[in-house]
Amino acid sequence: MKKVAIALFACAVVAAAAQQVKPESQIKYRRGAYEVMNLSMSHLGAMAEEKKPFNPEEAQRYADIIAMVSTIPRENFGEGTDKDTKAKPEIWTKRAEFDRKMDKMVAEAGKLPAAARSGDMGSFKKQVSDVGSACKSCHDEFRAK
Amino acid sequence: MKKVAIALFACAVVAAAAQQVKPESQIKYRRGAYEVMNLSMSHLGAMAEEKKPFNPEEAQRYADIIAMVSTIPRENFGEGTDKDTKAKPEIWTKRAEFDRKMDKMVAEAGKLPAAARSGDMGSFKKQVSDVGSACKSCHDEFRAK
């Protein structure tokens, strides 16, 4: 019972925190985060595809940025943030599925820093590709064209 | 001589990297970064001003995000990125002054994670304020209303 009570309390705190942020701000926040992730990923993608030379410092920096910023969008799809956006209504009607895909993306992004530091191009390329797939999987289902 | 050669080489690499990113993408990248910083700062600001309770985990997370993302804008004011933007022409005519203010902002943002972890509300509040001042100092001079 205690665990359930704590879990319910934690959910209430998170919900309250989300409600404090205005819908317009939530939309700006997640868009900014996606923009940062997208352009950071394009740098990593170019290195993974050998369109530009692998630069360890640059790769680590972008990997760190993506891992950090990937945690922002999930909590910024609150109530009232479904207007004037590419976000499909299914985000709110199939929320568990959306959250699962978000968690997958955050988990894959979280592995990027280690892959960028591993010194193994195979691991690096695989991880960049896995992050890209996790992004795409969510976009395909939940983002309008 | 060797040091100078290395420095020149490093500059050439950075310049080449910047040129590879299209002006439109640079503008999107810096805007996204500013949006993320702005909204992350609003969370820290609310805690610093005691408008919401200080939450150590949340404070550390936003501090880490700001420190990391603060490094993005500087390199995304390249050639051709002066159109359809609030960025004033002075950024390019007084570049050394602009870069100095950028470096100051990045340096102050870089101190946020330690301040958020210090457990000392005085240090935390001071650092949030110092980052805010560094942002404002650049906006006042280089951002159109």
Side-chain angles (χ1 to χ4, degrees):
Chain A
M1 274 306 289
K2 200 176 168 190
K3 267 195 192 161
V4 173
I6 291 171
L8 284 175
F9 176 72
C11 288
V13 170
V14 171
Q19 279 165 8
Q20 284 168 1
V21 180
K22 279 185 283 186
E24 313 87 83
S25 298
Q26 288 186 47
I27 293 174
K28 282 185 186 176
Y29 205 14
R30 73 193 190 210
R31 277 188 186 154
Y34 282 133
E35 210 67 84
V36 166
M37 280 193 277
N38 177 28
L39 289 155
S40 303
M41 274 295 283
S42 73
H43 286 281
L44 295 187
M47 285 188 250
E49 291 166 22
E50 297 180 21
K51 287 179 186 163
K52 67 176 186 182
F54 181 79
N55 175 319
E57 276 180 33
E58 203 185 322
Q60 289 166 22
R61 180 174 160 242
Y62 290 123
D64 289 345
I65 288 173
I66 294 165
M68 195 71 78
V69 171
S70 71
T71 63
I72 292 175
R74 196 187 194 284
E75 67 200 18
N76 288 288
F77 284 90
E79 208 177 315
T81 68
D82 56 344
K83 279 131 198 122
D84 188 24
T85 158
K86 283 188 187 170
K88 284 192 182 174
E90 284 77 7
I91 289 173
W92 292 273
T93 56
K94 297 183 182 177
R95 189 60 190 234
E97 171 69 3
F98 175 74
D99 283 347
R100 201 188 58 75
K101 284 180 188 275
M102 271 283 178
D103 289 343
K104 170 78 174 159
M105 183 277 286
V106 172
E108 294 299 341
K111 295 177 199 165
L112 267 180
R117 282 170 178 81
S118 68
D120 173 28
M121 276 307 282
S123 305
F124 173 70
K125 288 179 183 183
K126 183 184 178 302
Q127 200 51 44
V128 172
S129 165
D130 286 352
V131 173
S133 300
C135 295
K136 186 176 182 301
S137 162
C138 197
H139 293 168
D140 285 351
E141 189 167 351
F142 293 110
R143 187 177 71 168
K145 303 272 180 237
Chain B
M1 273 307 287
K2 201 175 171 192
K3 268 194 194 164
V4 174
I6 290 170
L8 284 176
F9 176 71
C11 288
V13 170
V14 170
Q19 278 165 7
Q20 284 167 1
V21 181
K22 279 185 285 187
E24 313 86 84
S25 297
Q26 289 186 47
I27 293 174
K28 282 184 186 176
Y29 205 14
R30 73 193 189 210
R31 278 189 187 153
Y34 281 133
E35 209 67 85
V36 166
M37 279 193 277
N38 177 29
L39 289 155
S40 303
M41 273 296 282
S42 74
H43 286 280
L44 294 187
M47 285 189 251
E49 291 167 24
E50 297 179 20
K51 287 180 185 163
K52 67 176 186 182
F54 181 80
N55 175 320
E57 276 180 30
E58 203 185 320
Q60 290 166 22
R61 181 174 160 243
Y62 290 122
D64 289 345
I65 288 172
I66 294 165
M68 194 72 77
V69 170
S70 70
T71 63
I72 293 176
R74 195 187 194 286
E75 68 200 18
N76 287 288
F77 283 92
E79 208 176 315
T81 68
D82 55 343
K83 281 132 196 120
D84 189 23
T85 159
K86 282 188 187 168
K88 284 191 182 174
E90 285 77 8
I91 289 174
W92 293 273
T93 56
K94 296 183 183 177
R95 189 58 189 233
E97 171 69 6
F98 175 73
D99 283 346
R100 201 188 58 75
K101 284 180 187 276
M102 272 283 180
D103 290 343
K104 170 78 175 161
M105 182 277 286
V106 172
E108 294 299 342
K111 296 178 198 164
L112 267 180
R117 283 171 177 80
S118 69
D120 172 29
M121 276 306 283
S123 305
F124 173 69
K125 288 180 183 183
K126 181 183 179 303
Q127 200 51 45
V128 172
S129 165
D130 286 352
V131 173
S133 300
C135 294
K136 186 175 181 302
S137 161
C138 197
H139 293 168
D140 286 350
E141 188 167 351
F142 293 109
R143 188 177 70 168
K145 302 275 177 233

